[in-house]
Amino acid sequence: VAGLNRRWTVVSHPVGMPAPSNFSFDAMPIPKLGRDEVLLKLLYISIDPGQRVYISELVGPDAIGAPVKAWAVGRVVESSSPRFAVGSYARDNLGEAGVQEYSVIGAKDLVPVDPDPSLTAHLGLLGMPGLTAYFGMIDIAGVAPGETVVVSGASGAVGSIAGQIARIKGCRAVGITRGPEKARYLVDELGFDDAIDLLECGLAAGLAEKCPEGVDVYFDNVAGPMLDDMLGHMKRGGRIAFCGAVSQYNDNAPPPGITNYFQILMRELRWQGFYVGSHAGQFAAAVDQMREWVAAGRLVQREEVTVGIERFPQTLLDVFNDRLRGKMILQVSPGEVR
Amino acid sequence: VAGLNRRWTVVSHPVGMPAPSNFSFDAMPIPKLGRDEVLLKLLYISIDPGQRVYISELVGPDAIGAPVKAWAVGRVVESSSPRFAVGSYARDNLGEAGVQEYSVIGAKDLVPVDPDPSLTAHLGLLGMPGLTAYFGMIDIAGVAPGETVVVSGASGAVGSIAGQIARIKGCRAVGITRGPEKARYLVDELGFDDAIDLLECGLAAGLAEKCPEGVDVYFDNVAGPMLDDMLGHMKRGGRIAFCGAVSQYNDNAPPPGITNYFQILMRELRWQGFYVGSHAGQFAAAVDQMREWVAAGRLVQREEVTVGIERFPQTLLDVFNDRLRGKMILQVSPGEVR
């Protein structure tokens, strides 16, 4: 395929909240295929808070000049792999698709995707957010029936699924969120047992009321002072599955330290960080399981789709405001929905 | 048995370093036996940094007025349990023996001890410190052959055994300690592969030189700023087995926070606190294994025995100075060694 590939690259590491000036929208020739590779025309690009990390100084200088890291679903337009026929759909497993119109990806890092229930589901419920929730809740936290599970950022793409999986596994799921609209979303649409609205009461008061006997599992994608407070509310033998630090991503100052960590010792807690990509070998089995839950209506999620790749910077910024949204997705171009 | 039981009780929670005024040396009637209980005449009492926690405000008001919590080995002088014959030796599993001359303990919380290799070994190599090292290294950290293991407080009762178990499991063991005498003890007597002497160089310089490729497992019984620094030296997927916080025990101010905790996420670390008593169901099998290693000369430890229960407060304080010693043990009275 000849032509131009429009793409958003990183010009500079953001200081604080990302700004449009951190990105450049350019056009390069569509890249050539190598052995056992696939050229995808990207249709839907996942927009996630974690992208803030991939453009930060933390990941080193490699990010500069490269397309912004992103998971995406696309249509195969060229293929040197027998596993991927032209015209079929695929998603990358490692977030290397990038915020661009075309991407060449090694076949080993791609999975075929089924347009049923939808292509976008493979970026949310059946994609990186869903898989992060799945491996975090099941492999990292090791939830058991009857346990009390608290999820931070609970209305977000990952947190909303984490709470639902906790419920499926027989746990009591309590979500932490901000504002009454999101609190209702958790309980009424997603089926959380309860919600703590930080705008209504502080975390301590919320936990005292909704988890009076303590917390077995804290699924955290926020970090910061909330994590510090949670350490004092865990039950003995509790686990913290730590997959994100949204509260810190845009904070240029060093984060306030975790002072309550002595509780890790006193309460025999296990605090474990994880990255979904490290579980790629088990993705297929997990997606099969999640697909069953989706089909049965046990896993649901709102989606918010922004149309037009040129709107990437604002879409990323929108992830960090307090409005209720579901999974954020950037549709590359208006004409092409499948 | 009639008579008096001299004992050290807690009068007040220490503020900072414990002082003699925090303790009272009194005498009460020797307690009476109930069903399935054993009256031990204590011979050797274990003195450990962790005792500082048991007399602190952290464990709540129950400590006040009670004997100072301590593990001990004693001779059975009365028994209502068929498992413990008068004249045999036993050790308690939960540290409830206390700093006193006599203690009544439920048979279920006692283990018989073999005077071979020595009664005192059941407070060190084959006792709580040895078991803490064993479960921390094997169950909590899950060490694998070829891994690099760093141990803090490496010349202490727990750390010295932790490093040796890491070696037995095929790891490279590096101990962190203070001063050249302790550094030599680690390498020359205990067989650590290397030692970082904090008085000779800082932790960062020591790690750069001795663990240039990073650390797979950090066995920590010190906590504090060293733990914060270690987070930046762990390999991806590293584990921190956290069994003590000696650096904080006598610090009245809130500890400085852990600011590097974002590395738990970036490096997919697992930080787990544990308490040896929670593994009591597996003690027997672990002691059998440790006993083999001791017999083969693969596990060794110096002991420092102070004679006379009246010397308890100073003996506890000695645990916190920088001098090289082995396992600290208080021999209850001079006449009675077995």
Side-chain angles (χ1 to χ4, degrees), chain A residues 58 224 236 242-245 255 257-258 261-262 264-265 268-275 278, chain B residues 58 224 242-245 257-259 261-262 264-265 268-275 278:
Chain A
L58 278 166
R236 191 170 195 100
F242 182 36
C243 71
I258 296 291
Y261 71 90
F262 203 75
I264 296 172
L265 180 57
E268 301 189 79
L269 307 179
R270 188 178 78 207
W271 176 8
Q272 187 164 358
F274 70 103
Y275 166 65
S278 300
Chain B
L58 279 166
F242 182 36
C243 70
I258 296 290
T259 57
Y261 71 90
F262 202 75
I264 296 172
L265 181 57
E268 301 188 82
L269 307 179
R270 188 178 78 205
W271 176 7
Q272 187 165 358
F274 70 103
Y275 166 66
S278 299

mmCIF file of all heavy atoms in Angstrom, chain A residues 58 224 236 242-245 255 257-258 261-262 264-265 268-275 278, chain B residues 58 224 242-245 257-259 261-262 264-265 268-275 278:
data_model
loop_
_atom_site.group_PDB
_atom_site.id
_atom_site.type_symbol
_atom_site.label_atom_id
_atom_site.label_comp_id
_atom_site.label_asym_id
_atom_site.label_seq_id
_atom_site.Cartn_x
_atom_site.Cartn_y
_atom_site.Cartn_z
ATOM 1 N N LEU A 58 9.717 8.800 32.559
ATOM 2 C CA LEU A 58 9.930 7.508 33.216
ATOM 3 C C LEU A 58 10.329 6.406 32.247
ATOM 4 O O LEU A 58 11.068 5.496 32.596
ATOM 5 C CB LEU A 58 8.638 7.069 33.924
ATOM 6 C CG LEU A 58 8.378 7.661 35.293
ATOM 7 C CD1 LEU A 58 6.949 7.408 35.697
ATOM 8 C CD2 LEU A 58 9.338 7.073 36.315
ATOM 9 N N GLY A 224 -1.213 7.419 45.180
ATOM 10 C CA GLY A 224 -1.260 8.673 45.921
ATOM 11 C C GLY A 224 -1.776 8.510 47.341
ATOM 12 O O GLY A 224 -1.751 7.419 47.912
ATOM 13 N N ARG A 236 -6.048 -8.257 57.708
ATOM 14 C CA ARG A 236 -4.840 -9.074 57.762
ATOM 15 C C ARG A 236 -4.804 -10.010 56.546
ATOM 16 O O ARG A 236 -5.808 -10.620 56.192
ATOM 17 C CB ARG A 236 -4.832 -9.899 59.047
ATOM 18 C CG ARG A 236 -3.516 -10.572 59.308
ATOM 19 C CD ARG A 236 -3.442 -11.191 60.707
ATOM 20 N NE ARG A 236 -2.070 -11.497 61.022
ATOM 21 C CZ ARG A 236 -1.292 -10.743 61.785
ATOM 22 N NH1 ARG A 236 -1.781 -9.672 62.354
ATOM 23 N NH2 ARG A 236 -0.024 -11.085 61.999
ATOM 24 N N PHE A 242 -1.923 -3.436 41.954
ATOM 25 C CA PHE A 242 -1.530 -2.053 41.664
ATOM 26 C C PHE A 242 -1.216 -1.953 40.173
ATOM 27 O O PHE A 242 -0.202 -2.452 39.714
ATOM 28 C CB PHE A 242 -0.296 -1.744 42.525
ATOM 29 C CG PHE A 242 0.265 -0.352 42.415
ATOM 30 C CD1 PHE A 242 -0.539 0.761 42.244
ATOM 31 C CD2 PHE A 242 1.636 -0.167 42.537
ATOM 32 C CE1 PHE A 242 0.010 2.033 42.177
ATOM 33 C CE2 PHE A 242 2.195 1.105 42.473
ATOM 34 C CZ PHE A 242 1.380 2.200 42.290
ATOM 35 N N CYS A 243 -2.134 -1.353 39.425
ATOM 36 C CA CYS A 243 -1.937 -1.343 37.974
ATOM 37 C C CYS A 243 -1.877 0.055 37.398
ATOM 38 O O CYS A 243 -1.744 0.204 36.182
ATOM 39 C CB CYS A 243 -3.028 -2.149 37.284
ATOM 40 S SG CYS A 243 -4.620 -1.361 37.344
ATOM 41 N N GLY A 244 -1.971 1.078 38.226
ATOM 42 C CA GLY A 244 -1.900 2.428 37.692
ATOM 43 C C GLY A 244 -1.800 3.433 38.806
ATOM 44 O O GLY A 244 -2.029 3.111 39.976
ATOM 45 N N ALA A 245 -1.434 4.643 38.429
ATOM 46 C CA ALA A 245 -1.219 5.689 39.435
ATOM 47 C C ALA A 245 -1.732 7.001 38.873
ATOM 48 O O ALA A 245 -1.021 7.999 38.821
ATOM 49 C CB ALA A 245 0.263 5.763 39.794
ATOM 50 N N PRO A 255 5.884 12.547 44.238
ATOM 51 C CA PRO A 255 4.637 12.255 44.950
ATOM 52 C C PRO A 255 4.871 12.291 46.447
ATOM 53 O O PRO A 255 5.982 12.050 46.916
ATOM 54 C CB PRO A 255 4.308 10.835 44.503
ATOM 55 C CG PRO A 255 5.622 10.237 44.130
ATOM 56 C CD PRO A 255 6.455 11.362 43.597
ATOM 57 N N GLY A 257 5.100 10.797 49.959
ATOM 58 C CA GLY A 257 5.491 9.423 50.267
ATOM 59 C C GLY A 257 4.365 8.627 50.894
ATOM 60 O O GLY A 257 3.399 9.179 51.413
ATOM 61 N N ILE A 258 4.517 7.312 50.839
ATOM 62 C CA ILE A 258 3.597 6.399 51.508
ATOM 63 C C ILE A 258 4.128 6.210 52.932
ATOM 64 O O ILE A 258 5.195 5.627 53.126
ATOM 65 C CB ILE A 258 3.558 5.052 50.760
ATOM 66 C CG1 ILE A 258 2.989 5.232 49.351
ATOM 67 C CG2 ILE A 258 2.762 4.012 51.545
ATOM 68 C CD1 ILE A 258 1.526 5.566 49.297
ATOM 69 N N TYR A 261 3.257 2.485 55.430
ATOM 70 C CA TYR A 261 3.683 1.188 54.901
ATOM 71 C C TYR A 261 4.010 0.172 55.994
ATOM 72 O O TYR A 261 4.116 -1.020 55.718
ATOM 73 C CB TYR A 261 4.862 1.356 53.941
ATOM 74 C CG TYR A 261 6.170 1.740 54.600
ATOM 75 C CD1 TYR A 261 7.050 0.750 55.033
ATOM 76 C CD2 TYR A 261 6.533 3.068 54.782
ATOM 77 C CE1 TYR A 261 8.247 1.093 55.628
ATOM 78 C CE2 TYR A 261 7.722 3.407 55.383
ATOM 79 C CZ TYR A 261 8.574 2.421 55.805
ATOM 80 O OH TYR A 261 9.756 2.758 56.404
ATOM 81 N N PHE A 262 4.186 0.641 57.219
ATOM 82 C CA PHE A 262 4.385 -0.287 58.323
ATOM 83 C C PHE A 262 3.213 -1.272 58.414
ATOM 84 O O PHE A 262 3.357 -2.393 58.890
ATOM 85 C CB PHE A 262 4.515 0.520 59.613
ATOM 86 C CG PHE A 262 5.231 -0.198 60.708
ATOM 87 C CD1 PHE A 262 6.601 -0.358 60.672
ATOM 88 C CD2 PHE A 262 4.527 -0.729 61.780
ATOM 89 C CE1 PHE A 262 7.263 -1.038 61.686
ATOM 90 C CE2 PHE A 262 5.181 -1.408 62.797
ATOM 91 C CZ PHE A 262 6.545 -1.560 62.758
ATOM 92 N N ILE A 264 1.930 -2.821 56.034
ATOM 93 C CA ILE A 264 2.217 -3.980 55.174
ATOM 94 C C ILE A 264 2.776 -5.107 56.023
ATOM 95 O O ILE A 264 2.448 -6.281 55.823
ATOM 96 C CB ILE A 264 3.193 -3.573 54.051
ATOM 97 C CG1 ILE A 264 2.532 -2.534 53.143
ATOM 98 C CG2 ILE A 264 3.653 -4.790 53.249
ATOM 99 C CD1 ILE A 264 3.482 -1.937 52.116
ATOM 100 N N LEU A 265 3.593 -4.728 56.995
ATOM 101 C CA LEU A 265 4.165 -5.709 57.919
ATOM 102 C C LEU A 265 3.126 -6.153 58.955
ATOM 103 O O LEU A 265 2.870 -7.347 59.118
ATOM 104 C CB LEU A 265 5.364 -5.057 58.607
ATOM 105 C CG LEU A 265 6.141 -5.873 59.615
ATOM 106 C CD1 LEU A 265 6.662 -7.153 58.995
ATOM 107 C CD2 LEU A 265 7.301 -5.041 60.149
ATOM 108 N N GLU A 268 0.391 -8.100 57.316
ATOM 109 C CA GLU A 268 0.838 -9.131 56.362
ATOM 110 C C GLU A 268 0.208 -8.925 54.990
ATOM 111 O O GLU A 268 -0.361 -9.839 54.397
ATOM 112 C CB GLU A 268 0.531 -10.533 56.886
ATOM 113 C CG GLU A 268 1.204 -10.811 58.223
ATOM 114 C CD GLU A 268 1.080 -12.262 58.637
ATOM 115 O OE1 GLU A 268 1.834 -13.082 58.117
ATOM 116 O OE2 GLU A 268 0.199 -12.572 59.461
ATOM 117 N N LEU A 269 0.329 -7.717 54.491
ATOM 118 C CA LEU A 269 -0.260 -7.387 53.195
ATOM 119 C C LEU A 269 0.686 -7.763 52.054
ATOM 120 O O LEU A 269 1.891 -7.893 52.251
ATOM 121 C CB LEU A 269 -0.568 -5.888 53.129
ATOM 122 C CG LEU A 269 -1.414 -5.331 54.269
ATOM 123 C CD1 LEU A 269 -1.617 -3.826 54.090
ATOM 124 C CD2 LEU A 269 -2.753 -6.045 54.344
ATOM 125 N N ARG A 270 0.115 -7.913 50.886
ATOM 126 C CA ARG A 270 0.892 -8.152 49.668
ATOM 127 C C ARG A 270 0.512 -7.066 48.665
ATOM 128 O O ARG A 270 -0.642 -6.969 48.252
ATOM 129 C CB ARG A 270 0.557 -9.526 49.105
ATOM 130 C CG ARG A 270 1.443 -9.951 47.940
ATOM 131 C CD ARG A 270 1.082 -11.346 47.469
ATOM 132 N NE ARG A 270 -0.124 -11.340 46.647
ATOM 133 C CZ ARG A 270 -0.966 -12.362 46.521
ATOM 134 N NH1 ARG A 270 -0.758 -13.488 47.185
ATOM 135 N NH2 ARG A 270 -2.032 -12.273 45.747
ATOM 136 N N TRP A 271 1.492 -6.256 48.316
ATOM 137 C CA TRP A 271 1.266 -5.131 47.406
ATOM 138 C C TRP A 271 2.048 -5.434 46.129
ATOM 139 O O TRP A 271 3.265 -5.516 46.159
ATOM 140 C CB TRP A 271 1.745 -3.850 48.080
ATOM 141 C CG TRP A 271 1.667 -2.608 47.257
ATOM 142 C CD1 TRP A 271 1.092 -2.452 46.034
ATOM 143 C CD2 TRP A 271 2.180 -1.321 47.622
ATOM 144 N NE1 TRP A 271 1.215 -1.149 45.614
ATOM 145 C CE2 TRP A 271 1.883 -0.435 46.570
ATOM 146 C CE3 TRP A 271 2.864 -0.835 48.734
ATOM 147 C CZ2 TRP A 271 2.254 0.904 46.600
ATOM 148 C CZ3 TRP A 271 3.229 0.501 48.753
ATOM 149 C CH2 TRP A 271 2.916 1.366 47.698
ATOM 150 N N GLN A 272 1.331 -5.606 45.036
ATOM 151 C CA GLN A 272 1.996 -6.083 43.823
ATOM 152 C C GLN A 272 1.635 -5.214 42.625
ATOM 153 O O GLN A 272 0.460 -4.989 42.336
ATOM 154 C CB GLN A 272 1.596 -7.546 43.565
ATOM 155 C CG GLN A 272 2.359 -8.183 42.421
ATOM 156 C CD GLN A 272 2.256 -9.690 42.422
ATOM 157 O OE1 GLN A 272 1.640 -10.277 43.312
ATOM 158 N NE2 GLN A 272 2.842 -10.328 41.437
ATOM 159 N N GLY A 273 2.658 -4.733 41.950
ATOM 160 C CA GLY A 273 2.466 -3.997 40.713
ATOM 161 C C GLY A 273 2.440 -4.959 39.536
ATOM 162 O O GLY A 273 3.096 -5.998 39.568
ATOM 163 N N PHE A 274 1.664 -4.630 38.523
ATOM 164 C CA PHE A 274 1.648 -5.519 37.357
ATOM 165 C C PHE A 274 1.315 -4.735 36.104
ATOM 166 O O PHE A 274 0.736 -3.651 36.154
ATOM 167 C CB PHE A 274 0.668 -6.678 37.559
ATOM 168 C CG PHE A 274 -0.788 -6.270 37.550
ATOM 169 C CD1 PHE A 274 -1.584 -6.492 36.433
ATOM 170 C CD2 PHE A 274 -1.359 -5.659 38.654
ATOM 171 C CE1 PHE A 274 -2.915 -6.115 36.417
ATOM 172 C CE2 PHE A 274 -2.689 -5.271 38.647
ATOM 173 C CZ PHE A 274 -3.476 -5.498 37.528
ATOM 174 N N TYR A 275 1.703 -5.334 34.986
ATOM 175 C CA TYR A 275 1.487 -4.747 33.671
ATOM 176 C C TYR A 275 0.855 -5.822 32.804
ATOM 177 O O TYR A 275 1.373 -6.949 32.711
ATOM 178 C CB TYR A 275 2.818 -4.279 33.090
ATOM 179 C CG TYR A 275 2.775 -3.959 31.625
ATOM 180 C CD1 TYR A 275 2.004 -2.897 31.167
ATOM 181 C CD2 TYR A 275 3.480 -4.716 30.700
ATOM 182 C CE1 TYR A 275 1.934 -2.605 29.818
ATOM 183 C CE2 TYR A 275 3.421 -4.420 29.343
ATOM 184 C CZ TYR A 275 2.646 -3.368 28.905
ATOM 185 O OH TYR A 275 2.568 -3.081 27.571
ATOM 186 N N SER A 278 2.617 -8.328 30.373
ATOM 187 C CA SER A 278 3.413 -9.458 30.853
ATOM 188 C C SER A 278 2.605 -10.754 30.909
ATOM 189 O O SER A 278 3.161 -11.812 31.162
ATOM 190 C CB SER A 278 3.969 -9.149 32.249
ATOM 191 O OG SER A 278 4.792 -8.005 32.203
ATOM 192 N N LEU B 58 1.585 0.376 68.822
ATOM 193 C CA LEU B 58 1.012 -0.259 67.636
ATOM 194 C C LEU B 58 0.164 -1.478 67.978
ATOM 195 O O LEU B 58 -0.808 -1.769 67.289
ATOM 196 C CB LEU B 58 2.126 -0.711 66.680
ATOM 197 C CG LEU B 58 2.710 0.352 65.772
ATOM 198 C CD1 LEU B 58 3.999 -0.145 65.145
ATOM 199 C CD2 LEU B 58 1.710 0.734 64.686
ATOM 200 N N GLY B 224 12.533 1.801 56.238
ATOM 201 C CA GLY B 224 13.083 3.153 56.214
ATOM 202 C C GLY B 224 13.638 3.551 54.851
ATOM 203 O O GLY B 224 13.285 2.965 53.818
ATOM 204 N N PHE B 242 9.217 -8.708 53.540
ATOM 205 C CA PHE B 242 9.293 -7.616 54.516
ATOM 206 C C PHE B 242 8.899 -8.176 55.878
ATOM 207 O O PHE B 242 7.726 -8.454 56.122
ATOM 208 C CB PHE B 242 8.324 -6.532 54.049
ATOM 209 C CG PHE B 242 8.259 -5.281 54.884
ATOM 210 C CD1 PHE B 242 9.366 -4.744 55.506
ATOM 211 C CD2 PHE B 242 7.046 -4.598 55.005
ATOM 212 C CE1 PHE B 242 9.286 -3.569 56.236
ATOM 213 C CE2 PHE B 242 6.943 -3.426 55.732
ATOM 214 C CZ PHE B 242 8.075 -2.913 56.358
ATOM 215 N N CYS B 243 9.874 -8.378 56.741
ATOM 216 C CA CYS B 243 9.570 -9.028 58.017
ATOM 217 C C CYS B 243 9.918 -8.170 59.211
ATOM 218 O O CYS B 243 9.738 -8.602 60.348
ATOM 219 C CB CYS B 243 10.262 -10.373 58.112
ATOM 220 S SG CYS B 243 12.033 -10.249 58.283
ATOM 221 N N GLY B 244 10.445 -6.966 58.992
ATOM 222 C CA GLY B 244 10.786 -6.140 60.141
ATOM 223 C C GLY B 244 11.127 -4.741 59.690
ATOM 224 O O GLY B 244 11.341 -4.499 58.505
ATOM 225 N N ALA B 245 11.166 -3.840 60.641
ATOM 226 C CA ALA B 245 11.414 -2.437 60.321
ATOM 227 C C ALA B 245 12.281 -1.835 61.412
ATOM 228 O O ALA B 245 11.953 -0.830 62.014
ATOM 229 C CB ALA B 245 10.093 -1.695 60.168
ATOM 230 N N GLY B 257 8.226 8.998 54.352
ATOM 231 C CA GLY B 257 7.425 8.187 53.440
ATOM 232 C C GLY B 257 8.273 7.481 52.392
ATOM 233 O O GLY B 257 9.409 7.855 52.132
ATOM 234 N N ILE B 258 7.670 6.456 51.793
ATOM 235 C CA ILE B 258 8.285 5.740 50.676
ATOM 236 C C ILE B 258 7.856 6.489 49.409
ATOM 237 O O ILE B 258 6.673 6.476 49.045
ATOM 238 C CB ILE B 258 7.790 4.290 50.646
ATOM 239 C CG1 ILE B 258 8.245 3.544 51.903
ATOM 240 C CG2 ILE B 258 8.262 3.577 49.378
ATOM 241 C CD1 ILE B 258 9.722 3.271 51.992
ATOM 242 N N THR B 259 8.798 7.146 48.751
ATOM 243 C CA THR B 259 8.430 7.971 47.593
ATOM 244 C C THR B 259 8.645 7.239 46.272
ATOM 245 O O THR B 259 8.062 7.602 45.264
ATOM 246 C CB THR B 259 9.254 9.267 47.558
ATOM 247 O OG1 THR B 259 10.636 8.922 47.549
ATOM 248 C CG2 THR B 259 8.973 10.120 48.779
ATOM 249 N N TYR B 261 7.635 4.446 45.313
ATOM 250 C CA TYR B 261 6.745 3.298 45.167
ATOM 251 C C TYR B 261 6.186 3.134 43.759
ATOM 252 O O TYR B 261 5.670 2.079 43.407
ATOM 253 C CB TYR B 261 5.614 3.349 46.198
ATOM 254 C CG TYR B 261 4.581 4.411 45.946
ATOM 255 C CD1 TYR B 261 3.462 4.144 45.162
ATOM 256 C CD2 TYR B 261 4.711 5.685 46.488
ATOM 257 C CE1 TYR B 261 2.511 5.117 44.934
ATOM 258 C CE2 TYR B 261 3.771 6.654 46.264
ATOM 259 C CZ TYR B 261 2.672 6.372 45.483
ATOM 260 O OH TYR B 261 1.735 7.344 45.259
ATOM 261 N N PHE B 262 6.317 4.165 42.955
ATOM 262 C CA PHE B 262 5.913 4.032 41.556
ATOM 263 C C PHE B 262 6.683 2.903 40.871
ATOM 264 O O PHE B 262 6.196 2.285 39.923
ATOM 265 C CB PHE B 262 6.177 5.370 40.854
ATOM 266 C CG PHE B 262 5.369 5.584 39.625
ATOM 267 C CD1 PHE B 262 4.030 5.911 39.710
ATOM 268 C CD2 PHE B 262 5.944 5.466 38.364
ATOM 269 C CE1 PHE B 262 3.274 6.106 38.560
ATOM 270 C CE2 PHE B 262 5.194 5.663 37.216
ATOM 271 C CZ PHE B 262 3.857 5.983 37.315
ATOM 272 N N ILE B 264 7.133 0.054 42.037
ATOM 273 C CA ILE B 264 6.391 -1.195 42.234
ATOM 274 C C ILE B 264 5.565 -1.486 41.001
ATOM 275 O O ILE B 264 5.439 -2.629 40.551
ATOM 276 C CB ILE B 264 5.509 -1.103 43.498
ATOM 277 C CG1 ILE B 264 6.396 -0.948 44.737
ATOM 278 C CG2 ILE B 264 4.597 -2.314 43.627
ATOM 279 C CD1 ILE B 264 5.621 -0.659 46.011
ATOM 280 N N LEU B 265 5.019 -0.426 40.428
ATOM 281 C CA LEU B 265 4.244 -0.558 39.197
ATOM 282 C C LEU B 265 5.163 -0.753 37.985
ATOM 283 O O LEU B 265 5.001 -1.706 37.219
ATOM 284 C CB LEU B 265 3.398 0.709 39.033
ATOM 285 C CG LEU B 265 2.485 0.814 37.829
ATOM 286 C CD1 LEU B 265 1.509 -0.334 37.778
ATOM 287 C CD2 LEU B 265 1.727 2.139 37.883
ATOM 288 N N GLU B 268 6.897 -4.052 38.166
ATOM 289 C CA GLU B 268 6.050 -5.199 38.520
ATOM 290 C C GLU B 268 6.589 -5.923 39.748
ATOM 291 O O GLU B 268 6.756 -7.142 39.748
ATOM 292 C CB GLU B 268 5.917 -6.160 37.340
ATOM 293 C CG GLU B 268 5.307 -5.499 36.114
ATOM 294 C CD GLU B 268 4.991 -6.509 35.025
ATOM 295 O OE1 GLU B 268 3.926 -7.150 35.131
ATOM 296 O OE2 GLU B 268 5.783 -6.656 34.088
ATOM 297 N N LEU B 269 6.841 -5.165 40.801
ATOM 298 C CA LEU B 269 7.379 -5.748 42.030
ATOM 299 C C LEU B 269 6.260 -6.289 42.916
ATOM 300 O O LEU B 269 5.098 -5.879 42.794
ATOM 301 C CB LEU B 269 8.172 -4.680 42.805
ATOM 302 C CG LEU B 269 9.266 -3.958 42.020
ATOM 303 C CD1 LEU B 269 9.958 -2.919 42.905
ATOM 304 C CD2 LEU B 269 10.284 -4.941 41.454
ATOM 305 N N ARG B 270 6.639 -7.180 43.786
ATOM 306 C CA ARG B 270 5.716 -7.705 44.794
ATOM 307 C C ARG B 270 6.339 -7.462 46.160
ATOM 308 O O ARG B 270 7.419 -7.980 46.462
ATOM 309 C CB ARG B 270 5.508 -9.206 44.574
ATOM 310 C CG ARG B 270 4.427 -9.819 45.445
ATOM 311 C CD ARG B 270 4.253 -11.291 45.127
ATOM 312 N NE ARG B 270 5.312 -12.090 45.730
ATOM 313 C CZ ARG B 270 5.725 -13.268 45.283
ATOM 314 N NH1 ARG B 270 5.185 -13.788 44.191
ATOM 315 N NH2 ARG B 270 6.683 -13.931 45.885
ATOM 316 N N TRP B 271 5.659 -6.667 46.963
ATOM 317 C CA TRP B 271 6.166 -6.290 48.290
ATOM 318 C C TRP B 271 5.213 -6.902 49.299
ATOM 319 O O TRP B 271 4.044 -6.524 49.344
ATOM 320 C CB TRP B 271 6.209 -4.765 48.389
ATOM 321 C CG TRP B 271 6.623 -4.211 49.711
ATOM 322 C CD1 TRP B 271 7.087 -4.894 50.799
ATOM 323 C CD2 TRP B 271 6.615 -2.831 50.083
ATOM 324 N NE1 TRP B 271 7.382 -4.019 51.813
ATOM 325 C CE2 TRP B 271 7.100 -2.751 51.412
ATOM 326 C CE3 TRP B 271 6.258 -1.659 49.431
ATOM 327 C CZ2 TRP B 271 7.214 -1.539 52.090
ATOM 328 C CZ3 TRP B 271 6.373 -0.460 50.110
ATOM 329 C CH2 TRP B 271 6.856 -0.402 51.425
ATOM 330 N N GLN B 272 5.725 -7.837 50.099
ATOM 331 C CA GLN B 272 4.828 -8.591 50.972
ATOM 332 C C GLN B 272 5.350 -8.611 52.403
ATOM 333 O O GLN B 272 6.491 -8.990 52.661
ATOM 334 C CB GLN B 272 4.685 -10.024 50.424
ATOM 335 C CG GLN B 272 3.636 -10.830 51.165
ATOM 336 C CD GLN B 272 3.231 -12.083 50.425
ATOM 337 O OE1 GLN B 272 3.709 -12.336 49.317
ATOM 338 N NE2 GLN B 272 2.370 -12.873 51.022
ATOM 339 N N GLY B 273 4.491 -8.204 53.323
ATOM 340 C CA GLY B 273 4.822 -8.303 54.735
ATOM 341 C C GLY B 273 4.397 -9.658 55.270
ATOM 342 O O GLY B 273 3.423 -10.235 54.797
ATOM 343 N N PHE B 274 5.129 -10.161 56.245
ATOM 344 C CA PHE B 274 4.736 -11.453 56.800
ATOM 345 C C PHE B 274 5.187 -11.565 58.248
ATOM 346 O O PHE B 274 6.107 -10.880 58.688
ATOM 347 C CB PHE B 274 5.292 -12.612 55.962
ATOM 348 C CG PHE B 274 6.787 -12.782 56.047
ATOM 349 C CD1 PHE B 274 7.347 -13.785 56.819
ATOM 350 C CD2 PHE B 274 7.634 -11.934 55.350
ATOM 351 C CE1 PHE B 274 8.726 -13.943 56.908
ATOM 352 C CE2 PHE B 274 9.016 -12.083 55.430
ATOM 353 C CZ PHE B 274 9.565 -13.083 56.203
ATOM 354 N N TYR B 275 4.526 -12.452 58.958
ATOM 355 C CA TYR B 275 4.815 -12.712 60.368
ATOM 356 C C TYR B 275 4.941 -14.220 60.514
ATOM 357 O O TYR B 275 4.056 -14.967 60.066
ATOM 358 C CB TYR B 275 3.669 -12.166 61.223
ATOM 359 C CG TYR B 275 3.675 -12.664 62.641
ATOM 360 C CD1 TYR B 275 4.718 -12.308 63.503
ATOM 361 C CD2 TYR B 275 2.673 -13.493 63.119
ATOM 362 C CE1 TYR B 275 4.742 -12.779 64.804
ATOM 363 C CE2 TYR B 275 2.682 -13.962 64.417
ATOM 364 C CZ TYR B 275 3.725 -13.601 65.253
ATOM 365 O OH TYR B 275 3.750 -14.069 66.541
ATOM 366 N N SER B 278 2.206 -16.821 61.516
ATOM 367 C CA SER B 278 1.129 -17.211 60.605
ATOM 368 C C SER B 278 1.445 -18.499 59.847
ATOM 369 O O SER B 278 0.580 -19.031 59.161
ATOM 370 C CB SER B 278 0.857 -16.085 59.605
ATOM 371 O OG SER B 278 0.464 -14.917 60.293
#
